[in-house]
Amino acid sequence: MERDTVVKEVVEALKIFSRDIRTQIDEMGSQLRAEIQDTANQLRAEIQETANQLRAEMQETANQLRAEMQQFRAEVNERFDRLEQKFAGLRVELTETQETVHFLASKTIQHEKKLHHLAKQLETIR
């Protein structure tokens, strides 16, 4: 009987030990799940923060590009305005030059007619 009692006590001790180990394993599993969940939450937060920073940087870059494009547009418009003014001045000068050429051409024709007429008169006199 003593042997049965010892065996029963050993079995009972093993059951208690087994329950303690299961409890510890369950607690460690719960702790591990909680740590995994915390880590996942931290990663999500970091990813979200990084995404927000990237969005902000992209927006800032886009704003800078817009500002540079507007400045470039203004410079190009200013240069085109200056070119238009130069071309307008050149058109006026060209028109004036054409008028002068036409005037001189008509005067040259008049003088040639007079010279031709005078030459005929000289021929008739001789």
Side-chain angles (χ1 to χ4, degrees):
M1 226 2 147
E2 222 177 270
R3 197 173 168 199
D4 286 339
T5 306
V6 169
V7 170
K8 283 182 183 178
E9 286 180 6
V10 168
V11 168
E12 191 60 33
L14 285 174
K15 285 181 182 178
I16 292 171
F17 182 71
S18 174
R19 273 188 248 131
D20 287 345
I21 288 178
R22 280 191 198 116
T23 303
Q24 289 175 2
I25 288 173
D26 289 344
E27 287 175 3
M28 286 173 36
S30 295
Q31 288 175 349
L32 185 58
R33 279 191 283 288
E35 287 179 17
I36 288 172
Q37 187 62 43
D38 286 347
T39 302
N41 290 339
Q42 287 174 351
L43 285 173
R44 281 187 197 99
E46 288 176 15
I47 288 170
Q48 186 62 43
E49 182 180 336
T50 301
N52 290 341
Q53 288 174 348
L54 284 173
R55 280 188 199 100
E57 288 175 15
M58 287 171 49
Q59 185 64 41
E60 183 179 340
T61 301
N63 290 341
Q64 287 174 348
L65 285 173
R66 280 188 198 101
E68 288 176 15
M69 286 296 293
Q70 288 175 349
Q71 182 180 357
F72 178 74
R73 241 186 233 140
E75 289 174 11
V76 167
N77 286 340
E78 182 181 331
R79 288 181 181 182
F80 276 125
D81 289 343
R82 280 191 244 141
L83 280 174
E84 286 175 357
Q85 290 173 355
K86 283 182 182 180
F87 283 131
L90 288 174
R91 281 188 204 108
V92 168
E93 287 180 27
L94 181 61
T95 302
E96 290 173 354
T97 302
Q98 285 175 336
E99 290 172 356
T100 303
V101 167
H102 287 293
F103 174 76
L104 291 174
S106 68
K107 286 297 181 183
T108 302
I109 290 172
Q110 286 176 1
H111 289 299
E112 283 179 1
K113 284 181 182 179
K114 281 185 183 180
L115 286 173
H116 187 62
H117 180 66
L118 289 173
K120 279 187 181 181
Q121 283 180 352
L122 276 176
E123 284 179 18
T124 55
I125 295 177
R126 292 190 195 161

